[in-house]
Amino acid sequence: MKNIVLIGFMGVGKGSVAREIARLSDYMAVDTDDLIESLTNKKIKKIFEEEGEKHFRKLEKDVALWLEKSVKNTLVSTGGGFYKVENLKKIGTIVLLDAPFEKILKRIQNHPNAKKKLAKRPLLQDLEKAKALYESRRPEYLEVADLVIDVTDKPLKKIAKEILKKVK
Ligand code: S3P
């Protein structure tokens, strides 16, 4: 089993889809932001505040090299900017979770923990900037993806099953 690497914009549901795939299959799931938080013993928000985004991107690169070298048969969910690491394609099959910006925003805003979900994401603080970031990244996500899954208004189970079927 090759690794499955979930990419896509903040809030599109990479973590939820990863947990659902893990529930429905033999895949173990890891998340690049979680790996960075345990590696540094710091929250992402704090890393951005104290060391800056550039340092965070360096940590993503370190994690990417470790994943390529040491992780097999695993479902990897990633931070929204992780797709830029040089060795991305060597980590596994790249699956883009795709949805329009407005739908992603609604998904976050409708979440029972919406405040926390927004607060922990430094690049979602200014929604106009976040939309511009989405617009600039979307073509790049599409370019790097081996598989594109439209997740708009789809139940988690359906998304997870679709991915499992298509990567086999
Ligand atoms: C980021 C997305 C975040 C996290 C960091 C930067 C980005 O992860 O890695 O705040 O550049 O899009 P999520 O996509 O899980 O929110």
Side-chain angles (χ1 to χ4, degrees):
M1 254 170 18
K2 222 173 144 183
N3 294 325
I4 301 176
V5 183
L6 298 182
I7 64 164
F9 202 67
M10 291 171 271
V12 76
K14 290 163 287 181
S16 309
V17 171
R19 284 187 289 277
E20 184 67 9
I21 293 178
R23 195 176 72 81
L24 294 174
S25 71
D26 290 333
Y27 280 98
M28 289 283 271
V30 296
D31 180 88
T32 60
D33 280 347
D34 291 348
L35 289 167
I36 289 172
E37 289 189 346
S38 44
L39 189 75
T40 56
N41 197 24
K42 262 189 195 179
K43 293 286 179 198
I44 303 295
K45 185 171 179 252
K46 202 122 204 223
I47 300 174
F48 268 73
E49 282 165 8
E50 293 182 358
E51 280 104 3
E53 181 172 348
K54 214 169 159 194
H55 180 68
F56 175 74
R57 301 300 173 199
K58 163 79 174 67
L59 295 169
E60 285 190 318
K61 280 187 189 163
D62 294 345
V63 165
L65 292 174
W66 174 76
L67 288 167
E68 179 191 341
K69 207 171 97 192
S70 311
V71 175
K72 305 268 172 306
N73 310 326
T74 297
L75 182 81
V76 182
S77 56
T78 64
F82 187 85
Y83 73 103
K84 288 198 171 179
V85 298
E86 263 171 35
N87 64 331
L88 184 75
K89 300 286 257 186
K90 292 190 186 150
I91 301 174
T93 305
I94 310 304
V95 179
L96 170 65
L97 304 188
D98 189 38
F101 181 74
E102 287 67 28
K103 290 278 178 185
I104 295 176
L105 204 58
K106 277 226 171 74
R107 183 179 176 272
I108 300 174
Q109 287 167 342
N110 291 339
H111 196 277
N113 255 334
K115 263 202 171 150
K116 210 171 145 197
K117 295 247 161 211
L118 274 174
K120 74 170 193 178
R121 293 182 161 107
L123 300 179
L124 265 189
Q125 299 313 301
D126 178 331
L127 292 184
E128 264 184 36
K129 278 193 191 155
K131 183 163 167 73
L133 185 64
Y134 172 92
E135 302 291 352
S136 70
R137 276 183 180 173
R138 188 160 179 272
E140 297 175 355
Y141 286 143
L142 289 168
E143 171 94 33
V144 81
D146 298 308
L147 181 65
V148 179
I149 305 284
D150 180 2
V151 298
T152 313
D153 298 329
K154 268 190 210 160
L156 269 183
K157 198 169 180 178
K158 195 166 176 209
I159 299 169
K161 283 193 168 168
E162 194 177 332
I163 293 172
L164 283 167
K165 196 171 148 201
K166 289 191 176 157
V167 290
K168 268 187 189 148

